[in-house]
Amino acid sequence: MARRRGIAGFIWRTVLILLLLSVALVLPFRWINPPSTMVMLERNWQQRGTDYRIKKQWLSWQQIPRHAALAAVVSEDQNFPHHYGIDIKAIQKALAERERRGGLRGASTISQQVARNMYLWTGRSWLRKGLEVWFTGLVELCWPKQRILEIYLNIAEWGDGVFGLGAASRYHFGIPASQLSGWQSALLASSLPSPLKYNPASPAPHLIARAKWNLGQQRMLGGTNWLAPLE
């Protein structure tokens, strides 16, 4: 009996330590801008021995054009202001589409993408998915929605070694993010599902069609005023 209590105590202490450690990995970034992410570190590791360099430029929420933020939300997670990290309706819709068409479209929220890019490795496994759900919950608990979107727009991958809206606008269009047009923002946002495949500066017909759809969705939502509840 004493042995069982000892084992149970050890398990609970271990769980508590892991809980506190994971909170410590998330909570500070409510105020501190993350210097790197796991995806950035993994890309550097994959390209070791080459002249590969990460291109990034942090933009505060005040420096991010609202039309660029709206374009990204429209492309990736239109229910972002209303869910708590996991969008059950989007998952159900994706599964229903899989039944009809045989393929499975993405249903990850912006919060999930932030958790995955910040803290986890690329690839797929049940362990990684479980950790993604856990860190997504912590991100939603510890950060306000505005901060989640701010970090997302600064760590999203927009090309080979290109991370964040600031670097993406300079890399693809040769201008600072503050000068992005609505069309350019829509092209950047529409490339997010496959950022290593699409080139916003020389868009293929499919990307142009997605960008036009993005602009239409922005108008349907009422424009940048739709983001007001996040601020």
Side-chain angles (χ1 to χ4, degrees), residues 170-186:
R170 291 187 181 278
Y171 179 80
H172 290 294
F173 300 115
I175 57 175
S178 60
Q179 296 179 15
L180 283 170
S181 68
W183 176 244
Q184 290 169 327
S185 296

Side-chain angles (χ1 to χ4, degrees), residues 45-197:
W45 173 257
Q46 292 169 342
Q47 299 293 331
R48 63 191 183 281
T50 70
D51 59 355
Y52 177 87
R53 291 183 62 189
I54 294 290
K55 293 174 275 292
K56 60 179 180 174
Q57 176 194 1
W58 189 271
L59 300 177
S60 69
W61 178 251
Q62 290 71 29
Q63 294 172 310
I64 296 171
R66 293 300 177 266
H67 60 268
L70 178 60
V73 174
V74 164
S75 176
E76 295 297 283
D77 184 6
Q78 291 191 33
N79 202 33
F80 175 67
H82 310 297
H83 62 64
Y84 296 98
I86 307 296
D87 190 345
I88 301 300
K89 290 183 178 179
I91 293 173
Q92 291 172 337
K93 186 176 180 180
L95 292 173
E97 188 171 316
R98 181 183 184 181
E99 290 293 325
R100 291 195 306 270
R101 302 184 181 182
L104 183 62
R105 67 179 181 85
S108 291
T109 65
I110 284 175
S111 303
Q112 285 177 273
Q113 294 181 53
V114 168
R116 188 164 60 228
N117 291 347
M118 279 277 291
Y119 299 108
L120 303 175
W121 61 95
T122 58
R124 296 186 178 185
S125 68
W126 286 110
L127 173 61
R128 179 177 172 275
K129 179 56 69 174
L131 289 172
E132 178 185 315
V133 171
W134 172 251
F135 277 105
T136 297
L138 287 179
V139 163
E140 283 278 342
L141 180 65
C142 294
W143 307 344
K145 287 286 189 177
Q146 176 186 303
R147 181 58 170 169
I148 295 173
L149 185 55
E150 177 187 343
I151 289 181
Y152 174 75
L153 290 168
N154 277 288
I155 68 173
E157 191 170 25
W158 255 298
D160 189 20
V162 181
F163 290 88
L165 183 68
S169 61
R170 291 187 181 278
Y171 179 80
H172 290 294
F173 300 115
I175 57 175
S178 60
Q179 296 179 15
L180 283 170
S181 68
W183 176 244
Q184 290 169 327
S185 296
L187 285 170
L188 285 171
S190 299
S191 70
L192 281 170
S194 301
L196 301 180
K197 176 182 177 182

